[in-house]
Amino acid sequence: MESNLGWKEYLITRAIRVAGYSAIVFVTLIFYFLLREGLPTLAEVKLTELFALRWYPIEKYFGILPLISGSLIVTLGAALIAIPFGIGTAVFISEIAPRWAREILKPLVELLGGLPSVVLGFLGILVLAPKLRLLLNLPTGLTALTGSLLLGAIAVPTVVSVAEDALDSVPRSYREGAWALGATRWQTIWRVTLPAARSGVLTAVMLGVGRAIGETMTVMMVTGNAPVLVTSLGGLFSPVRTMTATIAAEMGEVANGSVHYHTLFFIGMVLFIISLIVNVTASAVVFRSQKRAERVLS
Amino acid sequence: MNKIEIENLTLQYSDGNESLRNVSMGIRENAITVLFGPAGGGKSSLLRCLNRLNDMADVQTAVGRIMLDGENILDPKTDVIALRRKVGMVFARPVVLPLSIRGNLTYGLEVMGESRRSKLDDAVERSLKQAALWDEVKDRLDDQAIALSGGQQQRLCVARSLALEPEVILLDEPTSGLDPISTAKVEASLQELKKDYTIILVPHSVQQAARAADFAAFFLQGELVEYAEGKSIFTTPVNKRTEDYVTGRFG
Ligand SMILES: Nc1ncnc2c1ncn2[C@@H]1O[C@H](COP(=O)(O)OP(=O)(O)OP(=O)(O)O)[C@@H](O)[C@H]1O
Ligand SMILES: [Mg+2]
């Protein structure tokens, strides 16, 4: 009986261990593949040409700065929309809304999160872009701003549901302690509940931004895809092209092993590194504030 | 003098059960009034009516009146924030905010808009002395409050509500998580405090009720069964159910 149990135990731990290690192996393999296909670019294209301002592969212009700037401005815009709106909605759902409103809003947000991004892109082209063009009197409605708005809409559900969970797990006694001291609802949220939930709220923001950076379909549909360097916030109102959209649009028609092919993988590497930086910063910050919070709250 | 008059208070949560049924009682100034009885009797519910903390719970109906200094605090026009400063509350588990010792004490004043350092420092010292905690923490006011022992945290919570200069203090089983020595300290400081405040205490045991009570009210399933001076209710209860409870036959 006992040896039988020990044997099962052995199998199960083994299986779990294999699953865990294989995740690491897969990520390593993907990274290796990315490096193998992307690094040759450094030999084929001069660094000064690579970090130049013109992306026009057919004429052998491989400057990726416009693409990087395009991704950054669209993501930045999306974050500026998704963070306040997402955290605000989370606070509303968990702290302010009456119960019936909460019960409608929560599943609604989840539903919104499950909307395929192609559908949002469609709405962007058909509804949002024409409206923006008229409203802002632009030559075209397909701009970085359009992308930002849609990406913001894509990131909001993630931010809301993660931040809402974090707020929800703050013990009720914290709030009551503050209320009993005569703090208003708003003072309690601002000075007790949000600070107590800060690591979860931060995670929410990072996951939301992470989703925005990696999103391809929507931005490809609505940002106009003009590889132009963005140098100021005014660039929000003109067409841009992001790294993800470039890879998605061009990978299909490029000759295997060509310079263009390698450069697309190189862009993938850059994207990978950017999201790595975002993630590592996020977990470092979360980890730090968690340790501080544990010291203080446990 | 009665500080508070509760008149025909009936409270119903949204599940429809009456947690308080037609309760009427007067609460004397400068005395400790104890609310005791078995679990679910409505003691906490009554306390939470007195500072309108129940506004935040899903209460279905609250009828009757609670007169504090002649004003009905259940009136929708009551300034709840001002009420909660006048009626302080200490909970069963000490809820220290994630701030320093000083920060916990000044939080209530700061949200009120007080920012003068001298005022805040005065309040810190006065309230800590009243809660018999000053000597233990005066050299480390800027340490995190969570580093205090459980008993010290609970006295910090008492001090925190005192810092707002309330008139009434509600305590809901304030010593339930404390060791006997800390419990004795909290009880001793309550005896000091009643000289200046109206105190309403939900004790965590009948023994504590008997030790602390000037007046005592026995609650059973939402009903106020018996209300009398502490000396008499624990020695010569009038009602049979009260007697059974204080002699330990149930509960
Ligand atoms: N927020 C709430 N929502 C619904 N019902 C509640 C709520 N708070 C209390 N009740 C109900 O009201 C009744 C009285 O509860 P209350 O907490 O006042 O009792 P108590 O005398 O303080 O008991 P204990 O000694 O366990 O603290 C119980 O039946 C309880 O289930
Ligand atoms: Mg209770």
Side-chain angles (χ1 to χ4, degrees):
Chain A
M1 180 68 200
E2 197 159 87
S3 72
N4 188 6
L5 209 68
W7 185 73
K8 265 189 196 159
E9 195 83 346
Y10 176 80
L11 261 193
I12 291 170
T13 27
R14 260 304 149 93
I16 292 175
R17 189 171 304 169
V18 169
Y21 282 138
S22 58
I24 299 177
V25 170
F26 285 141
V27 171
T28 319
L29 280 180
I30 291 172
F31 193 59
Y32 166 75
F33 181 71
L34 208 57
L35 287 183
R36 201 191 65 188
E37 302 295 320
L39 279 183
T41 313
L42 292 178
E44 294 158 359
V45 184
K46 279 208 287 291
L47 267 187
T48 45
E49 283 174 26
L50 198 57
F51 291 97
L53 304 183
R54 186 136 181 237
W55 175 261
Y56 197 60
I58 300 173
E59 302 272 329
K60 304 280 175 255
Y61 289 105
F62 293 113
I64 62 173
L65 279 187
L67 311 180
I68 296 180
S69 75
S71 274
L72 289 184
I73 187 107
V74 173
T75 308
L76 186 74
L80 286 181
I81 294 163
I83 291 171
F85 199 68
I87 295 180
T89 310
V91 165
F92 179 75
I93 292 180
S94 107
E95 307 292 316
I96 298 170
R99 198 202 299 221
W100 60 266
R102 184 175 330 175
E103 263 153 31
I104 297 174
L105 277 171
K106 269 183 87 162
L108 207 69
V109 167
E110 311 272 318
L111 202 72
L112 222 67
L115 217 60
S117 49
V118 181
V119 174
L120 271 176
F122 232 20
L123 285 179
I125 291 182
L126 293 180
V127 182
L128 188 62
K131 288 255 158 59
L132 273 181
R133 191 174 68 84
L134 286 180
L135 197 72
L136 301 173
N137 198 14
L138 298 171
T140 166
L142 300 177
T143 64
L145 180 66
T146 325
S148 291
L149 285 171
L150 285 177
L151 281 193
I154 287 175
V156 160
T158 313
V159 178
V160 172
S161 65
V162 178
E164 204 259 339
D165 279 348
L167 289 170
D168 224 37
S169 63
V170 174
R172 189 171 170 80
S173 57
Y174 273 53
R175 302 180 179 98
E176 296 195 330
W179 290 331
L181 286 174
T184 61
R185 208 181 259 255
W186 171 239
Q187 285 164 338
T188 306
I189 291 168
W190 189 241
R191 300 200 43 184
V192 176
T193 319
L194 269 179
R198 65 181 165 246
S199 70
V201 171
L202 216 67
T203 311
V205 167
M206 291 306 169
L207 286 176
V209 172
R211 243 209 104 176
I213 295 182
E215 177 58 43
T216 313
M217 213 52 220
T218 320
V219 286
M220 197 158 87
M221 289 166 83
V222 301
T223 52
N225 292 324
V228 182
L229 186 75
V230 180
T231 48
S232 68
L233 273 182
L236 262 180
F237 303 107
S238 46
V240 294
R241 177 191 276 216
T242 65
M243 295 190 275
T244 47
T246 307
I247 297 175
E250 297 176 11
M251 193 53 97
E253 47 202 49
V254 41
N256 217 329
S258 68
V259 180
H260 187 186
Y261 172 90
H262 287 153
T263 312
L264 288 182
F265 271 98
F266 186 79
I267 295 172
M269 276 168 54
V270 173
L271 199 59
F272 187 83
I273 289 166
I274 292 179
S275 14
L276 203 68
I277 291 172
V278 170
N279 280 328
V280 169
T281 335
S283 40
V285 174
V286 168
F287 187 65
R288 246 212 355 250
S289 69
Q290 221 162 32
K291 271 209 311 221
R292 195 170 350 112
E294 263 164 29
R295 238 190 4 252
V296 175
L297 298 179
S298 64
Chain B
M1 251 285 280
N2 278 351
K3 180 78 175 169
I4 301 174
E5 284 291 349
I6 299 168
E7 298 168 4
N8 306 102
L9 179 67
T10 294
L11 180 79
Q12 227 175 2
Y13 289 104
S14 54
D15 57 8
N17 289 336
E18 284 184 341
S19 298
L20 292 170
R21 202 169 323 113
N22 202 19
V23 170
S24 295
M25 63 189 289
I27 288 166
R28 190 75 70 88
E29 208 165 29
N30 301 337
I32 299 181
T33 302
V34 159
L35 315 177
F36 72 107
K43 303 163 305 235
S44 303
S45 299
L46 180 55
L47 284 195
R48 295 161 59 89
C49 286
L50 294 175
N51 67 352
R52 295 265 306 261
L53 204 56
N54 258 345
D55 287 12
M56 305 294 190
D58 40 335
V59 171
Q60 194 173 51
T61 50
V63 296
R65 299 201 299 176
I66 299 177
M67 309 301 288
L68 171 65
D69 293 332
E71 307 226 12
N72 181 11
I73 62 174
L74 294 185
D75 191 319
K77 288 200 286 287
T78 303
D79 178 352
V80 182
I81 301 301
L83 172 70
R84 293 194 187 132
R85 291 190 185 123
K86 197 166 159 183
V87 181
M89 184 158 189
V90 176
F91 298 88
R93 270 192 48 213
V95 190
V96 300
L97 302 174
L99 303 167
S100 67
I101 295 174
R102 187 198 308 277
N104 264 275
L105 291 165
T106 56
Y107 177 78
L109 290 168
E110 280 166 11
V111 298
M112 245 170 95
E114 180 61 71
S115 59
R116 281 166 296 174
R117 188 64 197 228
S118 62
K119 282 270 184 189
L120 295 177
D121 285 345
D122 284 351
V124 168
E125 182 168 346
R126 176 183 54 76
S127 59
L128 283 175
K129 281 182 172 158
Q130 281 179 313
L133 190 59
W134 175 249
D135 290 330
E136 290 162 58
V137 302
K138 64 170 185 273
D139 300 322
R140 47 181 181 136
L141 291 175
D142 291 311
D143 287 6
Q144 285 296 322
I146 201 74
L148 296 172
S149 76
Q152 290 170 330
Q153 285 185 26
Q154 193 55 296
R155 275 177 288 150
L156 180 67
C157 290
V158 174
R160 188 173 64 187
S161 50
L162 292 175
L164 289 172
E165 304 189 43
E167 295 168 19
V168 180
I169 304 170
L170 314 172
L171 302 110
D172 194 349
E173 307 188 23
T175 57
S176 59
L178 303 188
D179 62 279
I181 295 173
S182 305
T183 302
K185 283 187 179 167
V186 172
E187 286 181 16
S189 57
L190 291 184
Q191 294 300 332
E192 275 304 303
L193 289 170
K194 77 178 185 192
K195 293 171 190 151
D196 301 312
Y197 301 91
T198 305
I199 294 178
I200 306 176
L201 169 71
V202 175
H204 80 267
S205 66
V206 180
Q207 290 76 13
Q208 184 176 52
R211 280 196 302 270
D214 293 313
F215 298 91
F218 178 57
F219 281 86
L220 191 59
Q221 293 179 350
E223 188 187 339
L224 173 56
V225 176
E226 186 167 347
Y227 182 35
E229 276 197 45
K231 279 193 282 304
S232 66
I233 201 170
F234 293 106
T235 50
T236 53
V238 177
N239 190 293
K240 177 77 171 65
R241 288 178 292 172
T242 317
E243 188 185 343
D244 286 350
Y245 187 74
V246 297
T247 55
R249 238 166 284 164
F250 83 96

